[in-house]
Amino acid sequence: MREIVRIGCGAGFWGDSAEGPKQLVDSGQIDYLVLDYLAEITMSLLARARAKDPAAGYATDFPAVLASLAPKLKAQGIKVVTNAGGVNPSACKAAIDEKLAALGIDLKVSIVTGDDLLPRAAEFADVKEMFSGAEMPPKLWSMNAYLGAFPVAQALAGGADIVLTGRCVDSAVVLGPLIHEFGWQPDDYDKLSAGSLAGHVIECGAQATGGVSTDWEKVAGDWDRMGFPIAECRADGSFVVTKPANTGGRVTPETVAEQIVYEIGDPASYLLPDVTCDWRQVQLRQVGDDRVEVSGAKGRAPTDSYKVSATYQDGFRCTAMMMIGGVDAVAKAETVGAAILKRTRRMFGELGLGDYLRTDIEVLGSEANWGANARRRDTREVILKIAVHHADKNALALFGRECIPPATAMAQGITGFAGGRPSPTPLVRLFSCLVPKDAVKIEVDGSPFSLSQIGGERAGERGDAVNETAPAAPAPHPNPLPAGRGEGTRSVPLITLAYGRSGDKGNAANIGVLARRSEFLPLLREQLTAEAVKRYFAHFVEGDVQRFELPGLHGFNFLMSEALGGGGIASLRHDPQGKMLAQILMDFPVDVPEALLST
């Protein structure tokens, strides 16, 4: 057994820089190269592509990327694990095998299948949407279960050099190799949680090495040569995050911590197929230049269900964008947007087309995303964005035609129509549900998946004690406030006191907030409450806001439900995945004693 397994992530999404995989392989610092390509909208697009062409449905650029690296992968013994198989892993394998044969390079490609439930959708027709309780739509575009890491480990145990999966949880491409290398068992919950954390940290590529960090100016000079992350993992579950030598970016406790809080929801119960993770007491320690040690992850038994993401069409959408300049640009843009909707609604009525299902007007440049906290109605140059949703494609074709005439009929200064006349496209929605694990038929290279083939044992079948209990409630906080409070305070923006990172989970938004100094934490706990955050985002949040404690990282995670206008693939907003929400919250005012700011 190796003492350390080094895993580098060369892609955080389909479309990430082609430099990532090459950089990591050229570094000579990795044993495994992993690439994460899939998201909900990606799955629906791949499913549509496969419907048109049986040989499509996977990340089509991956075979070429792999072929370019194949000689070095072979020479260095680097194994590859990726979900590039999309909804058609067998077609992806065929494309790779063809390229490897042309190069005369012998690498075994294995595939993990069974996540694609679309052909079996009728069997699950009675399941309900896990958040709203809605009925399953009659016609789906895609339906995929989030598989875990043990099938990946089985493929590696079978001698695979390259493992292709369909939909699995993002962290599984990292956890699978660790299970294989270290012999972790299904009831090694703490280790599985730690390995999942390693996967979570590096799965988004350069986000762990300073990309999209709060203190962007400390990294901006390196943006042209950002390093991709490497996790150096040990058998006890601890790992060190680093990056290739002589690359840009920075690996520090704060850059790693920001990635840990990204999209995790409740840090005490982060649900994955192989383990329920508790990351509240995770510790970060700088152990060298661009080297951060991560430890303290805990885990307990997983649930008996797989999460399934299905997508379906719900009418059509259309988005128009134009620039409007001059004095009173904001007011002019708002008025133009309202006039276009009023005009087209009148025309719809005359034609019997019905009303819009939803509309969304944003005046970009006026701080529209800040709601009542916006301060820039004086700007003289804005982008008007009008997004609409309608059941009838013909109605949106009319909308597209009527977005151009305002250039001569409405406000002066209208110009810069982005992309010309907008066209309607299908609006895709997400349907999330749970299905029993024993209803999902997983296969590795066409053979049924079995834990016994990797030397695994079912939880509870051996004598070791296992942690299956729910996490204890956090101890009450004494909440000591700094001395001097009330004797003279100053209001400062949250960014002075904390780092932040935000993202999405369906129609819910997550915002992680981490204190720059532990002394700031009582102030944040007192003032940055769930209620205060809900008021601050009143223009977005339609559901509840929950605040979860992260004692080990000196911070909190806020989960805002019904906050993204339907979620990333259905939202009409310019920021449908909540990527900017942490930056909006960073301007939240916090009263701080002058004495604390001066120390």
Side-chain angles (χ1 to χ4, degrees):
M1 183 176 72
R2 302 189 203 199
E3 182 177 347
I4 294 177
V5 176
R6 306 167 302 166
I7 304 175
C9 180
F13 62 96
W14 191 11
D16 206 344
S17 173
E19 285 198 339
K22 182 177 185 301
Q23 176 197 99
L24 290 165
V25 171
D26 287 349
S27 74
Q29 295 176 236
I30 63 170
D31 304 306
Y32 286 84
L33 173 67
V34 302
L35 305 100
D36 175 25
Y37 284 110
L38 301 182
E40 287 83 1
I41 186 62
T42 313
M43 298 303 293
S44 65
L45 294 175
L46 292 175
R48 297 292 284 181
R50 183 184 59 181
K52 296 176 182 178
D53 178 2
Y58 60 90
T60 51
D61 54 349
F62 175 68
V65 169
L66 184 72
S68 69
L69 299 173
K72 289 185 178 180
L73 295 174
K74 181 72 172 180
Q76 298 179 42
I78 298 172
K79 296 182 183 292
V80 179
V81 181
T82 176
N83 54 21
V87 298
N88 204 345
S90 59
C92 188
K93 170 179 163 56
I96 292 170
D97 284 339
E98 181 180 356
K99 289 186 177 295
L100 292 176
L103 293 169
I105 296 176
D106 180 25
L107 292 173
K108 181 180 178 180
V109 183
S110 290
I111 59 173
V112 175
T113 57
D115 65 292
D116 187 0
L117 302 181
L118 187 61
R120 302 173 55 204
E123 299 176 35
F124 307 102
D126 293 335
V127 303
K128 301 294 190 294
E129 212 281 337
M130 61 189 295
F131 301 109
S132 68
E135 302 284 337
M136 180 180 287
K139 187 175 182 179
L140 300 176
W141 276 24
S142 64
M143 185 178 187
N144 295 84
Y146 287 81
L147 303 185
F150 280 92
V152 172
Q154 178 175 314
L156 292 168
D161 300 298
I162 301 158
V163 181
L164 295 173
T165 76
R167 196 59 173 117
C168 61
V169 290
D170 300 343
S171 56
V173 296
V174 171
L175 180 58
L178 298 179
I179 292 170
H180 169 64
E181 292 283 350
F182 295 136
W184 291 346
Q185 299 298 308
D187 56 359
D188 285 329
Y189 298 131
D190 288 350
K191 294 174 182 177
L192 295 176
S193 176
S196 297
L197 179 57
H200 176 74
V201 169
I202 71 172
E203 72 190 28
C204 290
Q207 282 191 189
T209 58
V212 301
S213 56
T214 302
D215 293 345
W216 64 274
E217 70 283 356
K218 295 181 179 179
V219 195
D222 290 337
W223 280 347
D224 64 306
R225 57 185 198 96
M226 289 292 288
F228 279 70
I230 298 171
E232 299 176 351
C233 305
R234 305 184 188 94
D236 65 358
S238 65
F239 59 96
V240 170
V241 183
T242 186
K243 63 184 185 66
N246 303 313
T247 61
R250 58 194 291 259
V251 181
T252 64
E254 56 265 30
T255 65
V256 175
E258 283 192 39
Q259 179 57 24
I260 289 175
V261 299
Y262 180 63
E263 300 182 342
I264 62 171
D266 182 355
S269 296
Y270 184 50
L271 303 179
L272 293 172
D274 302 309
V275 62
T276 298
C277 302
D278 183 349
W279 293 341
R280 291 175 297 174
Q281 298 296 344
V282 167
Q283 303 290 316
L284 305 178
R285 185 167 65 98
Q286 193 86 47
V287 293
D289 291 342
D290 291 316
R291 295 181 62 82
V292 172
E293 184 182 59
V294 184
S295 61
K298 297 295 182 181
R300 59 189 188 279
T303 70
D304 60 1
S305 299
Y306 284 120
K307 180 181 177 181
V308 172
S309 286
T311 59
Y312 64 99
Q313 182 176 349
D314 178 19
F316 297 86
R317 65 184 298 158
C318 195
T319 302
M321 296 182 67
M322 63 194 77
M323 188 171 81
I324 300 179
V327 176
D328 295 327
V330 176
K332 287 194 292 187
E334 291 170 342
T335 307
V336 167
I340 291 173
L341 294 182
K342 183 178 180 181
R343 178 183 179 88
T344 51
R345 280 187 165 118
R346 174 177 56 78
M347 299 173 76
F348 292 171
E350 294 170 353
L351 296 170
L353 291 173
D355 196 6
Y356 294 109
L357 298 174
R358 292 182 297 156
T359 65
D360 186 74
I361 294 176
E362 292 177 89
V363 180
L364 305 175
S366 71
E367 299 184 355
N369 284 276
W370 270 255
N373 300 294
R375 297 195 293 260
R376 289 307 312 272
R377 292 195 64 85
D378 61 341
T379 186
R380 294 169 294 185
E381 182 179 84
V382 298
I383 298 292
L384 170 62
K385 187 227 76 181
I386 313 170
V388 293
H389 176 199
H390 201 287
D392 194 324
K393 185 176 182 179
N394 293 322
L396 295 192
L398 187 155
F399 165 82
R401 291 194 298 271
E402 291 300 321
C403 285
I404 306 300
T408 58
M410 297 184 189
Q412 189 176 151
I414 297 178
T415 185
F417 291 89
R421 177 187 293 175
S423 300
T425 58
L427 185 137
V428 182
R429 285 194 182 274
L430 179 66
F431 182 92
S432 299
C433 60
L434 300 174
V435 302
K437 285 181 176 175
D438 58 12
V440 178
K441 301 174 175 63
I442 305 172
E443 294 186 344
V444 178
D445 289 332
S447 298
F449 162 66
S450 171
L451 286 172
S452 64
Q453 295 188 42
I454 57 170
E457 303 168 11
R458 293 285 181 187
E461 288 183 359
R462 53 184 208 177
D464 297 357
V466 296
N467 175 19
E468 296 183 347
T469 59
H477 293 279
N479 202 30
L481 294 175
R485 182 173 172 79
E487 299 177 1
T489 62
R490 174 155 50 103
S491 179
V492 299
L494 178 60
I495 197 170
T496 304
L497 310 175
Y499 310 100
R501 178 75 63 83
S502 58
D504 68 314
K505 284 291 184 185
N507 195 25
N510 292 259
I511 307 178
V513 177
L514 306 164
R516 292 178 182 270
R517 289 161 41 193
S518 59
E519 307 95 278
F520 294 150
L521 197 58
L523 286 169
L524 300 181
R525 183 176 292 112
E526 178 197 42
Q527 299 180 52
L528 196 66
T529 62
E531 294 76 16
V533 170
K534 182 170 183 176
R535 287 194 301 270
Y536 193 77
F537 286 105
H539 55 299
F540 284 158
V541 179
E542 298 177 4
D544 296 328
V545 175
Q546 297 173 273
R547 186 181 75 178
F548 300 103
E549 295 270 349
L550 280 157
L553 300 180
H554 305 298
F556 313 97
N557 193 48
F558 293 89
L559 179 61
M560 308 192 302
S561 63
E562 298 178 60
L564 294 174
I569 58 178
S571 176
L572 300 180
R573 292 191 202 147
H574 208 61
D575 179 23
Q577 296 177 296
K579 303 299 185 184
M580 197 170 71
L581 294 180
Q583 287 297 293
I584 295 172
L585 189 60
M586 286 295 104
D587 205 36
F588 181 94
V590 182
D591 293 331
V592 185
E594 292 279 3
L596 188 58
L597 289 172
S598 62
T599 58

